[in-house]
Structure formats: C-alpha cells, structure tokens
Amino acid sequence: MLIGRSGQTARIAAAMAQAAAGRAAALLLVGAPGMGKTALLEWARGRATGFQVVAVTGARPDRTLGWAGLLQVLRALPAELRRLPPGQAGLLRQVCGLGPPGSPPDRLAVQVALLCLLAAAAERRPLLVLVDDAHWLDAESRDALSFAARRLDADPVLLLFAAREQAPAELPPLPVCPVPALDPGSVAALVAAVRGIDPPAGTAARLAEATGGNPLALTELARGLPAAQLRGTEPLPHRLPLASVAEQAYGPRLDALPSGLVTTLALYALAAGEDPDRVLTAGATATDAAALEDAGLLELASGRVRTAHALLAAAVVGRVPPSRRRGLHRALAAAHDGPGGDPARRAWHLAEAADGPDAVVAGALAAVAADRDAAGGYAAAAGAYERSAMLTASAGLRSRRYQDAADAAVLAGYDDWSQRLLALARAQTADPADRARIDHALGVRHIYAGRPRRAEALLLAAADVLAPVDPGLAGAILSDAAFAAFLGDRLPESLAAADRARASSADPAVLLAADVSTGLAGLHLGDPAAAGPLLATADELAAAGTVPAAVVEYVIPLTIALTWAGRHAEAVWTAEAVAAELRARGASGLLPGVHYACAYARLWRGDLARARLHAAAGQDLARETGNRLWQLLTAGALALCAAVAGDRAGCDRWAGEVRARRTEVDLRQPHDIDDALGLAALAAGDTDAALAHLQRANTAGEPGRLVTGRPTMVDLVEACVRAGRPVPDGLAERLAGAVPAGFPAMTADAWRCRGLLGRDDLDIAFGRALTGYAGTGSVWQEARTRLAYGERLRRCGRRVDSRPELARAAALFAEIGTEVWRRRAVAELAAAGGSAPAPDRAGVEGLTVQELAVAMSVADGATNREVSATLFLSPKTVEMHLTRVYRKLGVRSRTELAARLAGRSGAPA
C-alpha cells in the first residue's frame, strides 16, 4: 500500500491506460532519495496486466560503461531483437558488445534502432519499460531511452523513469511527476502502517519536520523509536537519531550487523550491477550473501548485484575506511582477471584502488576508453580518458589523454565538459606548439558554440605560433579563423585570414574553407566580382566527390552564398547531397547545420514546403543533440519560412525563441531574424517595421555597411517605395552599376529594384528582372516580381496589360503556399478588372508538418521503414501519419499520393 501518493498513482494509471489504448506515453518520477520512487515503479508493475514488462536499473559503477543500460533492454527482449532488420539488430549488438566490432556507430542511429526495438516488442502486446535510478544510467543509454520516449507515438508503450531531483542536467526531458515529501497526515498514516500506532498530530508533525517527510527515513525511524514516544505519551528525543539521509535510513540496521557482514555488504555495494559470482571470487562467502539477502539488504535473484536501496549502498560504503575500500576494489578487479572477466570493470576497480599515478592502470583505462569510443559510447570514453589522464605521471601523455577525452566529450554532446578538458590538457604542457594545437581545437569549439569573436582571437594566435613549424596546420587554423571573423561581422579581418590560409596550404579542405569565407565577405563588402570566382571554385571542390568531414561545416555557408548568387540548383544539390551522405554515414551531429542550409536554399527557390521540412528537421535534431547554436539558427530558418508563408504570428514566435537564445551566443551573422521580421511586416503592410528590420538585415561590418547581394535587399527597396521614403544613401547608384556574369539573382534583383524605383522603362526593367529570375529557377522571386510589375502597370493606367502578370503571380503564390501574398495579387487583379481561379491546393493545407514530411517521403518512393529511419519515428507512427494523409488528401495508394504531390511546393497552412 502506498501512502500519500494518490496524485502520482493517478498519473501513472492514466499513462498506462493511454498506452493500453495504443498511444505511447512517458513519465519521469522525480524526488529526493527515499521518497518512494521505486515503490511507485513497483506499483505500476503490479497493475500492468496484459503488459510485457522490461526493467532497467541504473547503478553507479555502470555510469562509466557506455550502453550498460541498453544491454539490460536487449537481454530482456531477445526475440524482438531477432525480428529487427539485420542492420539495426547488428548495431544494437555491436554497441553492447554482443556482436562483432565494426566502425564507430552514430549515436542517433543506435537510438533509432532502440526505438524500433521497443516498437517491435509492443506489436504483440503493450510494453511497460521501468527505468529506476535513471540518474545513474550511462549517458548513452539514458539518452537513447529518452529519445524513444519522445519519439514513440502510435505504439502501445509506456516508459516510466525514476530519478533523483538533484541531477536535473542528467535527467531525460520528459513530462515530470514530482514525488514530494509526505505531509504530517501521511506521516501519521505511515507510522500506523509500520508500527500499528496512531501518533498524535504534534508527534507526526515533529517526525515530518525531522525527516523532511522522507518515507524511507520515516519507516526506519518508526521501527527504532519506542512505542511510547510514537504514541506521544513520552516526548521524542531532543535530537532524533538522524545524520545523513543514508544514515538515518540504514544506520540502525547496519549497527546491528557483525563487522564482517558490513564489509561483505560493502563489497557487494561496490560491485553493483555485476555478476554475483564475481563477488564470491573477490572474497565473499555464499553464507554471508544468503544472510544479507535474508535480511532484505541484498538482491541477487536477477543475476545482477543490487543492494536493497541506493541509500544502503551509500551508507555501508561510507562506513568502510578508505584504505579498506581500496582493498575491496583490488579484490573485485582481480575477480575480473582471466577468461570471462570484464576488462572495463577491472580497469575501473583498479582506478578506484589507486592512491596515486599508475602507468599500468592509466593504460588499462585508456584502452577501455578507446573501446568505448569505437562502440559509440562517447560519454563513457570521455570519462575513462579523463580518469586515465588523472592517473598518468607523464605530463605530455596526460595532456594527450585529456585531449582525447575532450574529443569524445564533443561527440557525446557535452561542449562545456569538452572545453574544461581542453583547458586541463593545455595546463599539462609548456610547449607552445602543443598549446597552439589545443587552442585550435578550443577555437573550433567556440565557433560552433556561437562565440566567433573569442574563437577568432584564439585561432589567429595559434596560427602565428604554428606557421614556422607546421605551415599546413597553420593554414587550416587560418581558414577557421576567417570563418570565425565572418560570423563575428569582422569582414576585412575575414578576408585577411583567408588570404593567409591560401598562402599557407594547398589542402583542398583549406582552400574550400578559405574561398567560402572570402566569397561571403566579398558579397557583404559589395565586391561580387571578386567573390564570384571563389565561390565557383569552392562549389567545384564540394561537388568533386565525397566532402571530407573536416569541411562539411563549410558547405553550409557555401550553400547560402550560392543562394545569394542565384545559383539555386547548385545550392540545393550541394546541400542535399551532403545531407544524404551524412545520413548514410550516420553522422547525425552535423545534420542540423546541413538541414539549415537545405532549408535556406529551398526557401529562396520558392519550395516552401520542403524548406519548412528541412528547418523543422534541423531544429528537431539540434534539440536531440543539445546543439544550442543550431537550435538558434534553425529557429531563424523557421521564422523565415513563416514570413514567406505570411504567418506573422508564427514568425514572431520563432523570432522570440531566437531572441531568448541570443544570450547563449555572441553571433553577429546571419541576419535571418531581421530578414524574417522585415518580410513578415512587409506582407502585412507595416512598412515602418519592415524598413527598420530590413535595413538592419542588409548592413554588415563596423560601421554598418550596406550589403547589396542579400536576397532581402530588394525587399528593403520595396519597403522604401511603399513608405514613400528614399532608399539608403548610395544604394540607387550601386544598383545602376554592372553586376558580373555568374550572378543572375543579383542582376535580376537590380533590375527589379530599378523597376520599383520607376527610374527606367517599366517593361525593360521588369522584363530583364523576370529573365534573370527564370535563369535562377526562383519561383518566389518571379512571383514577387510579377506582382510588383502588375501593380505598377495598373497604377500607370495599363489595366489590361497588368492582368496576365497579376494572374500569374497569384497562381505562383498559390503553388508556393503563401496565402497572404496570393490574396494581395488577387486583390490587385480584381482592381484591374480580372479574376483568378480558386487555387488547387491538393489538400496540403490541412497536413501537419510531420504528416507532410511523411507524405513527401512516401511520394518520393520511400518505404515505411525507410521513412521511419529518416524521420526518426517508429514504423507504426509512420503508418498512423500516412493513414491520416490518405484520408485528408482523399487518396488510396502511394501511386495516387505521388501523383497528387508531384511538383507541388505548397506548405500546410
């Protein structure tokens, strides 16, 4: 019977009913040690009639072993594991050490495989997964289970997690169910249940205050206090026997044990999660084990050592003197010698037994770290490398191991930890070259954490040190510094660093990075003639074959630069080819940024639907991987998509999220939010707001310099015209100048602006703009140009001539899926005496983003299982979305769906 937990049991029961009805649910029970979280999990187990139950328990020693929690899941679901596709099953077996080793797996790919495993297990009957002591799970398993909990949808699965409240950074981001302290009334009920005594209100209140309402502490205290004190006929002691929570709960029971049994229990506590036979090998006796199990202090039946409660383990280990504790660890390490032993557990026990630097133990831990790294257990690898470094006497080797730990920490998604490890690595060496190499790694971390100005200073200093001894590496560092300077809006400095990089290295990766930075800076500084050839060269390098992982990041700014140049087909191809390659590699950590690039390229081409899908996918992945920079940038892309769609409220919402996250970074580029807010305001007719945002968006550097190559420069001109204000100083003259070949969008933009300003013949200016946009394939810019052309023709009294342009604009806006701009074109057409047919929207306006993603993937020929792997959903959830798509669009087959969506670029409303 649970006392004082009716709210928690009601939430668990509701979640269980939801799962039984076929919709996945998840809940995180959070409370202090001893609050009854495990009891609530057992309550759920006892009511899981018809459910298959999988239990996973975190153990402190297992935190150092990557995928230890996942191994518990695989052992509980052997039949379901065999039913998975061979690739997913092999991946799960590999990371858990149950199959042959392979190349380092992508963490997200493993998470998707676990999701599919749980979904497969739930196909026959509902599945209940109980995760106790989640704060002690290894990071990889915790993240994978959390990922599955968030992604399962149309599956009868309930995941219940229980964790301590003092570890919020290590808890899965799931709906939280607090498990609070008991109130005095519940305290009285608990005492009555334990001792059969009803304490008076004053006594119950005193007990509640003294124990903090902790049920475990109350239970042990109630068992030890005299009955008269509980009844209130004698006063409670002035100081109740309470030390720490662990001692207050288990101190009296440990006091009653013979000292030999206390030591044996400590041995078992240090071996939590291991095979009980290993503890017998380490010196425990079967008689002592049986006595501890009979006393309710030890659990061995599951084949894994587990003390009755985590607090018991803390209490008993705390009673063992440090020297004796090290001896117990040595005994446990020896138990893993020879065949059948676990090298990782042996190494960690030896590390706990060490009382100073030890080359052998440090080497063993480094080997464990390398093994974990190869298996994709990056957090475990980082921890092992760090501990290995701490036990390494040689400063040089210690520095190297800290650097290895930092590399693993980045792959695990722990940027702050990685930077701290690099600082430790740097402190171990006085060699300037070694320090410069470490500073290079740290500078790159700063770039992709959104701190470009800090990165630039660090990288330039490192390059200066390495230039005489390693010019090739110095060139690579300078190319990174050039990109950092661009992101920090220091454009002349970016050009200078890129020039130095090209002079130092002939490495294609360095040249690509330097050319991209130079091209972007050149466009911002109004020098497209210099930027064009460099961007063309960079594009050829990117298209020449497989893009090296080291320069994947530079494909993102390259895509943006190509988009500005109006080379939309190349931009889309470049970004989406890299995205496909990264998915094939399983390199999910780089995907959010590439999705951002794909969204940008698709958006300015006028493919709003796919742009939104890419932006949403990038945002989703950035949240999953904890990447703050790409969360911010993909939110900006979603704001841009909303602005193009004419959804001002949606644009404001995403812009607000970006502003809230701006405090986390020091990023001066890109200007997506001002682009988005300006465009949304222009669509709504709010020209003052549009001018303010678009003027900020189209300036760069210090002091603000007007940029003429960005896609929203023409929107700035339009806002000026609609507001009856002059264009910014110098812009008209620059628009009248020649634009070099290879930049069709800039040429078309210039002619469109000249048409808007009315300083040229309308037919010539807008005609040349439309010719230019035809060469770029930008449906969006063509539609905007035809609308502006039609508006000017009507206002000049040429109503008949305006109708074809306005009708075509309305049709293009309908195809894109931007209703606010379509309505404007229709209104202008009506004023010109024409009419537009109702748009054929194919029903896509009723689809959610997720349904549209599934629909487009299926229309492209993907199977449900392929869609599942691409969108990180369970197959049944894909099936659910596809069923809704069929119903909403009125189709009955994949063929009909492909025909309905063929060539469409409209987005849902």
Side-chain angles (χ1 to χ4, degrees):
M1 175 183 177
L2 291 175
I3 295 171
R5 297 292 179 239
S6 57
Q8 291 74 24
T9 55
R11 289 192 64 179
I12 293 172
M16 193 172 289
Q18 177 178 319
R23 292 301 302 273
L27 203 56
L28 172 62
L29 305 173
V30 176
M35 283 297 178
K37 302 180 295 296
T38 300
L40 285 165
L41 295 184
E42 290 305 314
W43 182 90
R45 185 200 293 267
R47 282 153 183 77
T49 304
F51 280 75
Q52 180 179 5
V53 180
V54 172
V56 178
T57 302
R60 189 192 298 268
D62 286 355
R63 294 188 69 181
T64 62
L65 308 173
W67 307 112
L70 177 61
L71 179 60
Q72 296 181 55
V73 177
L74 300 193
R75 285 174 171 166
L77 300 172
E80 289 76 9
L81 183 61
R82 289 192 291 272
R83 287 167 49 207
L84 280 187
Q88 289 185 329
L91 195 59
L92 292 173
R93 291 191 180 100
Q94 176 193 336
V95 298
C96 290
L98 301 178
S103 58
D106 176 63
R107 184 171 57 169
L108 192 58
V110 179
Q111 292 172 347
V112 173
L114 173 62
L115 179 149
C116 291
L117 174 67
L118 297 181
E123 287 178 358
R124 297 178 181 177
R125 55 178 172 147
L127 178 67
L128 172 63
V129 181
L130 303 174
V131 185
D132 203 1
D133 288 334
H135 52 280
W136 278 341
L137 277 179
D138 60 277
E140 288 80 13
S141 298
R142 182 192 65 229
D143 292 346
L145 287 164
S146 171
F147 177 89
R150 296 191 303 277
R151 293 287 178 159
L152 289 164
D153 188 351
D155 305 272
V157 180
L158 170 59
L159 291 101
L160 287 180
F161 295 77
R164 291 184 181 177
E165 61 187 359
Q166 61 264 40
E170 299 179 359
L171 300 185
L174 299 172
V176 172
C177 179
V179 185
L182 297 180
D183 58 38
S186 298
V187 168
L190 180 59
V191 172
V194 172
R195 290 289 298 274
I197 298 171
D198 291 319
T203 301
R206 173 80 192 284
L207 291 172
E209 180 182 6
T211 62
N214 187 294
L216 183 60
L218 279 163
T219 299
E220 297 300 327
L221 192 60
R223 286 172 177 163
L225 289 175
Q229 292 180 357
L230 293 175
R231 292 193 184 99
T233 57
E234 291 184 10
L236 290 169
H238 178 66
R239 290 185 180 276
L240 289 170
L242 301 173
S244 67
V245 174
E247 273 296 319
Q248 73 188 28
Y250 287 104
R253 296 177 72 179
L254 294 175
D255 289 339
L257 289 178
S259 61
L261 277 184
V262 170
T263 301
T264 299
L265 183 58
L267 185 66
Y268 276 103
L270 295 174
E274 298 189 31
D275 183 343
D277 289 343
R278 295 289 167 187
V279 189
L280 295 178
T281 304
T285 67
T287 302
D288 286 350
L292 292 169
E293 195 168 19
D294 292 344
L297 299 172
L298 199 59
E299 296 177 13
L300 302 174
S302 65
R304 296 177 79 239
V305 172
R306 184 182 180 189
T307 55
H309 196 278
L311 291 177
L312 172 59
V316 71
V317 170
R319 290 187 169 211
V320 177
S323 59
R324 180 60 178 144
R325 196 182 310 148
R326 289 195 295 271
L328 296 178
H329 277 296
R330 279 192 291 271
L332 288 167
H336 285 283
D337 285 336
D342 186 332
R345 292 189 186 276
R346 176 181 179 276
W348 277 107
H349 281 304
L350 288 174
E352 294 295 331
D355 55 4
D358 188 312
V360 173
V361 177
L365 275 174
V368 168
D371 180 64
R372 292 295 85 203
D373 205 355
Y378 301 120
Y385 275 129
E386 181 179 23
R387 189 60 183 275
S388 173
M390 294 166 66
L391 294 172
T392 300
S394 163
L397 183 55
R398 187 162 61 247
S399 177
R400 180 65 257 166
R401 285 171 173 166
Y402 275 130
Q403 291 176 63
D404 290 339
D407 291 342
V410 162
L411 293 173
Y414 296 112
D415 182 63
D416 292 344
W417 185 18
S418 172
Q419 291 182 51
R420 180 175 63 79
L421 290 165
L422 286 172
L424 288 170
R426 197 178 192 280
Q428 310 308 312
T429 177
D431 186 321
D434 286 343
R435 287 194 162 194
R437 292 183 182 96
I438 295 169
D439 286 345
H440 179 208
L442 189 55
V444 171
R445 304 279 197 277
H446 283 318
I447 291 177
Y448 294 103
R451 297 182 288 269
R453 293 199 172 193
R454 193 186 310 179
E456 181 195 351
L458 202 62
L459 293 168
L460 288 174
D464 288 342
V465 170
L466 287 170
V469 295
D470 192 343
L473 179 55
I477 296 173
L478 286 165
S479 68
D480 288 329
F483 188 46
F486 167 74
L487 291 175
D489 224 8
R490 289 164 49 80
L491 304 181
E493 291 81 1
S494 178
L495 291 175
D499 287 343
R500 289 179 61 194
R502 275 189 291 272
S504 300
S505 175
D507 184 339
V510 173
L511 295 178
L512 186 149
D515 287 352
V516 166
S517 295
T518 302
L520 283 169
L523 289 178
H524 278 74
L525 291 169
D527 189 8
L534 292 170
L535 292 175
T537 302
D539 189 41
E540 290 168 6
L541 284 170
T546 300
V547 178
V551 295
V552 163
E553 291 91 344
Y554 289 100
V555 173
I556 300 164
L558 171 60
T559 300
I560 294 168
L562 290 171
T563 300
W564 291 1
R567 295 161 63 179
H568 295 291
E570 294 159 276
V572 169
W573 181 89
T574 299
E576 294 192 347
V578 172
E581 184 179 331
L582 291 176
R583 280 194 292 270
R585 285 189 206 163
S588 60
L590 299 172
L591 269 174
V594 177
H595 274 301
Y596 169 79
C598 293
Y600 200 89
R602 286 282 185 183
L603 179 68
W604 295 115
R605 193 180 190 184
D607 190 349
L608 179 57
R610 291 189 185 274
R612 288 186 65 189
L613 295 181
H614 276 301
Q619 173 76 192
D620 199 20
L621 280 170
R623 290 183 188 276
E624 291 292 352
T625 56
N627 190 307
R628 290 174 295 205
L629 175 66
W630 290 116
Q631 285 181 53
L632 185 146
L633 292 180
T634 52
L638 285 164
L640 269 172
C641 290
V644 170
D647 177 9
R648 195 172 186 184
C651 180
D652 288 343
R653 184 174 64 254
W654 284 112
E657 179 156 335
V658 172
R659 289 194 190 100
R661 291 186 173 278
R662 280 284 187 188
T663 57
E664 301 174 7
V665 300
D666 178 27
L667 201 66
R668 310 298 172 93
Q669 291 282 356
H671 294 165
D672 292 344
I673 289 305
D674 276 319
D675 282 331
L677 292 171
L679 188 55
L682 186 62
D686 186 353
T687 53
D688 287 340
L691 275 171
H693 287 296
L694 292 169
Q695 190 137 5
R696 279 198 298 270
N698 287 280
T699 55
E702 297 175 350
R705 178 194 297 266
L706 191 67
V707 179
T708 56
R710 302 184 75 256
T712 60
M713 179 272 295
V714 68
D715 297 304
L716 172 60
V717 172
E718 182 174 337
C720 291
V721 170
R722 291 187 181 278
R725 298 185 190 179
V727 296
D729 290 343
L731 179 56
E733 291 73 15
R734 291 170 69 177
L735 290 171
V739 177
F743 287 81
M746 292 182 189
T747 302
D749 285 347
W751 281 110
R752 179 169 146 204
C753 288
R754 290 164 70 168
L756 285 166
L757 292 169
R759 300 177 184 178
D760 295 86
D761 180 275
L762 286 181
D763 297 324
I764 292 175
F766 283 112
R768 290 182 178 177
L770 288 169
T771 299
Y773 288 133
T776 71
S778 175
V779 179
W780 166 246
Q781 300 292 21
E782 180 190 347
R784 293 285 305 283
T785 303
R786 291 189 184 278
L787 173 59
Y789 187 18
E791 287 175 333
R792 293 303 303 268
L793 288 171
R794 186 180 73 80
R795 283 160 176 74
C796 290
R798 298 169 59 184
R799 298 171 74 240
V800 174
D801 292 341
S802 73
R803 291 171 193 164
E805 302 302 332
L806 294 170
R808 180 58 180 156
L812 290 175
F813 286 135
E815 179 183 326
I816 293 168
T818 173
E819 183 63 18
V820 67
W821 289 98
R822 189 192 74 84
R823 286 199 301 267
R824 178 180 286 187
V826 169
E828 285 287 336
L829 182 57
S835 61
D840 175 18
R841 302 186 63 78
V844 297
E845 69 277 3
L847 301 182
T848 66
V849 171
Q850 194 73 270
E851 288 165 355
L852 186 63
V854 170
M856 286 191 163
S857 296
V858 170
D860 287 343
T863 66
N864 282 14
R865 197 166 288 281
E866 289 168 342
V867 177
S868 167
T870 300
L871 300 182
F872 314 117
L873 302 170
S874 73
K876 187 165 284 189
T877 300
V878 171
E879 183 181 329
M880 176 192 73
H881 286 312
L882 190 56
T883 299
R884 291 175 177 171
V885 168
Y886 280 4
R887 184 179 69 250
K888 290 180 178 181
L889 299 187
V891 299
R892 293 178 294 180
S893 69
R894 291 177 175 308
T895 302
E896 287 185 28
L897 176 62
R900 178 66 65 88
L901 295 181
R904 288 205 56 81
S905 57

